Amino acid sequence: RLLVEMAFARVQLSNITCNAAVSACEKGGQWATALSLLVQVASARVELDTTTYDAAVSACETGGECVQALRLLVEMACAEWI
């Protein structure tokens, strides 16, 4: 939904806007939305980076979803980002 609203508002989908959106999810305690954004953004072929993943990991940790946070860390390790 957020990506649709961004497109409607003519906000350019980029690494920076995606990082901001995932970070906002972290601050709002919306870990599931942060993970959903990762999937949607990757599908839109926007390049994710460590900042994006760090915010998503933090969102999961804040939400008590340690298994999800560990899964993201494994993905980062596989991408050789950590």
Side-chain angles (χ1 to χ4, degrees):
R1 178 177 169 198
L2 179 61
L3 294 182
V4 172
E5 289 179 19
M6 288 173 64
F8 183 74
R10 297 189 179 181
V11 174
Q12 182 179 2
L13 187 60
S14 70
N15 182 280
I16 294 169
T17 56
C18 292
N19 288 350
V22 173
S23 183
C25 291
E26 170 197 358
K27 288 171 182 42
Q30 299 294 318
W31 67 269
T33 303
L35 294 181
S36 176
L37 277 173
L38 284 182
V39 172
Q40 292 175 41
V41 168
S43 296
R45 299 185 189 236
V46 172
E47 186 175 331
L48 303 176
D49 61 13
T50 56
T51 303
T52 315
Y53 274 85
D54 285 343
V57 167
S58 293
C60 290
E61 289 173 339
T62 300
E65 294 294 325
C66 295
V67 172
Q68 294 294 337
L70 288 172
R71 184 183 61 79
L72 292 173
L73 290 172
V74 168
E75 285 183 27
M76 291 175 71
C78 289
E80 297 183 358
W81 289 346
I82 57 173

